[in-house]
Amino acid sequence: MTPYQPRTLPDPGQAFPIKLSIRDFNLSFGQTPILKSIDLDVIANHVTALIGPSGCGKSTLLRSLNRLNDLSTECRVSGQIHLDNQDIYAPSMNIADLRRRIGMVFQLPNPFPKSIYENVAYGLRIQGIRSRRRLDTAIEHALTRAALWDEVKDRLNTNAYELSGGQQQRLVIARALAVEPEVLLLDEPASALDPISTLKIEELITELKHNYTIIIVTHNMQQAARVSDYTAYLHQGTLIEYGETQQLFTNPRKRATENYITGRFVE
Amino acid sequence: MNRWLSGGHAWIWLSAGALSVSLLLVAILIGFIAVKGLSHFWPAPIFDVHYHEQDDPSMQRLIGQRISYQSTDQGTQEYLFRRSEAQAAYQDFIWLTDAQINTMTQRPELMTLEHRTFGRLIAEPILLRLSPTSTITPPPVDWPEQIKTAQKDAQLTLLLGNGEALTLNLVDILEIHFPNQLSWVEKMQVFGKGLLQFMVESPRQGGTEGGIFPALFGTVITVLIMTVFVTPIGVMAAVYLHEYARPGWITQTIRIAVYNLAGTPSIVFGVFGLAFFVYTLGGSIDQLFYSESLPMPTFGTPGLIWVSLTLALLTLPVVIVSTEEGLARIPKSVREGSLALGASHTETLWRIVLPLTTPAILTGLILAIARAAGEVAPLMLVGVVKLAPELPLDAEFPFLHLDRKIMHLGYHIFDLAFQTGRTDASLPFVFTTALLLILLIILLNLSAILLRNRLRVRFQDDKKPI
Amino acid sequence: MRPNPKPKQAKQSAFQTWRRCRDAVMSLMIRSSGYTVVISLLLMFVYLGYQVFPIFKPIQVTPIETERLSEEHRSSFQWHPVNLDPSALVYRLAENQRSLLTTTSDGGIQQWFWLMGDAGTPASFQKVHEFTSHRAPILALIPESQRRGFLSLDQQGHLAIHYAPTGETLWSGYLTNEPIKAYSLSSSNQILGVRLASGETRYWHLLNPHPQISITSLLHKVQYEGRNQAEWVWQSAPSAEYHDGKYSIVPLSIGTLKAAFFAMLFAMPLAIMGAVYTAYFMPTRLRNWIKPSVELMEALPTVVIGFIAGIYLAPLIEAYLVQVLFGLITLPLYLVLLSWLWSIFPDSTHYRLKSSLWVLLIPALVAFVWALPYASSLFESWVFAQDLRQWLAHHNIDYAQRNGLVIGIAMGFAIIPTIFSLAEDALSSVPKHLTEGALALGATPWQSLQGVILPTASAGIFSAIIIGFGRALGETMILLMASGNTPLVNMNLFEGMRSLSANIAMELPEAQAGSTHYRVLLLSVLILFVFTFVLNTLAALIRQGLKKRYQQL
């Protein structure tokens, strides 16, 4: 199968700028290549879904965008990723600032063992914001946008671990939103949640894309079809196909994509 | 027979036996110390005994507390008496058998008292002189009350076991008990009071009377100052090993160094402490800051600060290992969550990881303190002495005197048991001090174990999928 | 009411700079703390080595300008004329005349001791050492003050510095070609003055602070005055005549090894077998209870153990020597017998009592202790036909109250928990599937232990033994309080010993910093340090290797 080589946007005529542009990106752990020559443009204020069988590198690609892979000493990268025309792998890049601009939500909710308030305030405090008034405003704003405010506004000082799984995941989203990122990375955000919580998270994603660029990794193809505008299909570290979600799901250009989305793919 | 061999029954029994023997030994040791140490404070009954020596038929008399008794091989009883010791010729303890004892009476007015210079006396009171004109002789029923309410200038005349009379000023008598009149509850009270006094008083009579407060205080202050040194370095070294170091020869070297610090004999630390801290470091400090008082050394001589520093070096690996274990238990997702919010490595460490590691750090510190409290050998070299004239903490500027020599529980045991001449008199104190030290250490260790177990349970809960 | 964006920007960037600086400082502190561990260990090595080094420094003899010595100083010298008749030189080395030096016409020097003969033979002078550093007749033999060293000068102007007890010549070289008329040695043994035939006076500075220390005196047998044969002697207290002590580290090293050996003999079987039982045959509920109690046992201060051993155990063992020895030997046999009786019972009983095997053991042990006096006195009269102590005396075996047996039991007791917990860790972290595999093939639990677990965990158990041994080598308080502290060279179970560690604890507080005694004590610390370093490093490497292997399994 030949990898998909887009040099242009999936939809050249649209009005939104390119938020992230990935060019010829390779990544390996030790001797094992994980991502091979990825080219991908992410359009601002849309939801882009990364799908593919497990081990295809979609989570790694997501974690490359905020350089979380750097934590592993074995990790080697080549190629470029630009965030608004700024190379994020440039030596001059401030990683902490990059991670503030690109928020991330993980597969399992990982609130800090602090109060709900302190969880959301954490990122702001890191940024040096001390004023109680500013914190209060920002926290209310973030929790409201994460659709959690009404549920927790009376118990902001209780420990975050006392929330339900779905609430915790929304708290984590609120925590990410509080530092006003430009991009939101979601790594299978609903995989550990019950259907009702999942639905809430999906509604939230649709809501949030007006303000943020969202990239979501998901195992669940229905979810990808429901929430995303664009979808990229990865297989064994290679980007096979990238296009508008509707088009990719109804009329895939590649045989491999079709096999995967129709479930004929054998993992 | 075959089954016996292939089942390894012999080995299983041997190994079970080995474990039982080890545990029995510990139980016997601690039980022995506890009984010996605590019985010293129990107001044992006082007897007026007429007896004769084994090889000498002439009658003798003693007034003494019956500490214990046991059956002999011949089926007779054998008693241990503690006698008063105002006269040096007396031995403190004496074993007597049934056959030696003629009469043994337990009269209510027999008393024990603590005298300022003679120490503990066991005697029969014969006269209380309230004023030059008024005297009382026992046994009126309110005799104890009379003594307690008597003026301080009153005098008490006692008859010791050997028939010698002794007149003492009431001012010099610290305490009086009538063990033969006490009820069980009152005995418990005397016991508790004695134990308490033991902990809050200074030693008298070369450690055979009084208490061990300076040693207890010295031990506590030493480990506290040690904690100040060992905590930051131990915690940061553990953080380095777990969070910063990349696998390689440097990390390997550091780990081996940690193992080595843990396994190096404590006396080596003591010698290093004396040679480097005291003579070299302390000597330089004296030259730089205290040159006016030379050649009298200020810091160039063993003292509190050097004890604490030596102990800090000694317990560094304990803190490192425990902290690292704690760091390893913190889920990766929590760290990543913080990093993904734009926190730097250090900020994550400081705000998220270390607060979560606190119980582990505390466990390490408690274990370090327990280890330090039990050490003796290195301390003998770097600043612990048998009798320190002043406590290291007082109202005089700068309040905490890091250069002073201190007393220490462990060294007190060694000193009392082996350096003091009056072994019989000091042994009960050695036992009680040993018991106190063991209890202190067991308490510290137990709290560390409980803390660690709670920590493990807590993180096991966290790992459950939601 | 939004703030002006520009100052906000500036404030923000200042904050970011501050943040970066703070992070850098923190990282630096953490890194340096990590290195501190290695540095402090290295510092200990280097510093101790640096303090010990001067005792091995070669002697330096340097000429001094006459003007550098004050008039007063020069006038304090006592001058002795040299002896030109080589056959007449006899020198007393010691005040009590027990040690003599004579010379031969060809420049040889002999040392003689006044020694008592064996059984009845009269005392006589016997030659103990010969010094052959001179080629010309000796002009003068100059004893050093307060120590057993001496200098010799010959007709060719050749000087040699000797140390009598070891029979070693420490330095030799030519001072001058001119004939020498008189000489003088300062009372500090540091300045040698020589008056030449020309009337000129010259001075040399002799830097020889530690003549008594050499490989020979530290490690080999040395014949000191008044002794019939060469021995290893540690005697640091100065005698009336000499301030140089006798520093052989052999008695201390042997004492250390002897103590550690007996302790290991006692501790190893108990600890390892206890660990095997705990890891494999004990119900988990009980195990969770046993492990902390062993940890508590490890925390028992050794000063308490030493106190009990010295004051109570030693007299107890002296009084019940037969019972103790007999008990130590027969207890394992007794347990083997019990296990055989046990295996005769049907399986159903086993099953019912399985978890409480060791509860059953306690009464069995009590019965053993009860029967011990009867059995041992039978044994004593049967084997020795008399009292064991008499038998020992009869066979010239010395008995000291504080001896190897007491130390073996007391220190063994102290190191049991160390070995136990490490061995138990090694055993219980063997992956479960290995055992289950063996059990599934029909092996008994014992066979699976023997065939699978013990071989896998053997390296871990070995490292536990090494660590226990290291601890025994360095243990101080127990030895100080219960070993008798006699610096003997033997492996007799019934005699005392003095270990390196106890010796240091006793003598270092009294040793004057910088003196030979002080440096030799530091040398013994260094020896202890290096030895335990090797053991600990070995154990650490073994444990790291083991960890990797367990992960692969």
Side-chain angles (χ1 to χ4, degrees), chain B residues 119-344:
Chain B
R120 186 192 285 206
L121 295 176
I122 303 164
E124 177 186 0
I126 46 177
L127 193 75
L128 178 66
R129 189 182 298 278
L130 290 171
S131 66
T133 50
S134 127
T135 58
I136 311 175
T137 49
V141 190
D142 62 343
W143 172 251
E145 295 308 313
Q146 291 281 0
I147 293 180
K148 271 172 200 155
T149 53
Q151 295 296 314
K152 286 296 171 195
D153 57 350
Q155 282 185 324
L156 183 64
T157 305
L158 302 171
L159 188 67
L160 291 176
N162 59 349
E164 187 192 358
L166 195 66
T167 303
L168 304 170
N169 292 323
L170 224 50
V171 192
D172 296 326
I173 297 175
L174 303 173
E175 200 157 332
I176 293 180
H177 289 299
F178 297 90
N180 296 355
Q181 296 181 24
L182 294 179
S183 70
W184 210 79
V185 176
E186 285 167 327
K187 281 185 179 183
M188 278 304 281
Q189 283 170 351
V190 173
F191 174 77
K193 205 173 157 200
L195 210 57
L196 190 72
Q197 274 183 342
F198 179 71
M199 298 223 264
V200 299
E201 279 184 10
S202 290
R204 298 194 304 272
Q205 308 263 324
T208 58
E209 295 291 338
I212 48 155
F213 179 69
L216 193 63
F217 188 79
T219 310
V220 170
I221 200 144
T222 317
V223 295
L224 286 184
I225 296 175
M226 170 204 87
T227 316
V228 173
F229 289 114
V230 79
T231 316
I233 296 187
V235 170
M236 286 201 291
V239 165
Y240 175 78
L241 276 174
H242 195 263
E243 311 271 318
Y244 281 71
R246 318 220 140 161
W249 68 270
I250 295 183
T251 318
Q252 178 90 349
T253 314
I254 295 179
R255 277 189 201 284
I256 287 177
V258 173
Y259 277 120
N260 263 298
L261 277 185
T264 300
S266 54
I267 188 82
V268 175
F269 290 98
V271 172
F272 177 72
L274 179 72
F276 182 73
F277 291 146
V278 177
Y279 290 147
T280 306
L281 217 57
S284 317
I285 291 175
D286 277 0
Q287 299 250 310
L288 284 175
F289 303 109
Y290 297 92
S291 50
E292 71 276 6
S293 62
L294 282 174
M296 269 294 284
T298 310
F299 278 101
T301 174
L304 170 61
I305 178 81
W306 308 128
V307 177
S308 297
L309 268 180
T310 308
L311 284 177
L313 200 57
L314 194 78
T315 52
L316 191 59
V318 181
V319 179
I320 293 179
V321 168
S322 182
T323 308
E324 226 194 313
E325 196 184 315
L327 287 171
R329 283 179 187 281
I330 294 174
K332 199 174 147 203
S333 67
V334 176
R335 292 162 208 266
E336 286 188 342
S338 165
L339 289 172
L341 284 171
S344 68

Side-chain angles (χ1 to χ4, degrees), chain B residues 7 13 25 81 83 102 114 123 126 146 259-260 264 267 271 275 303 314 322 336 379 392 399 430 437-438 441 446:
Chain B
W13 273 77
L25 283 177
F81 290 99
R83 300 195 277 191
N102 196 14
E114 291 280 332
I126 46 177
Q146 291 281 0
Y259 277 120
N260 263 298
T264 300
I267 188 82
V271 172
L314 194 78
S322 182
E336 286 188 342
L379 310 189
F399 311 119
V430 182
L437 185 61
I438 291 178
I441 287 172
L446 272 182

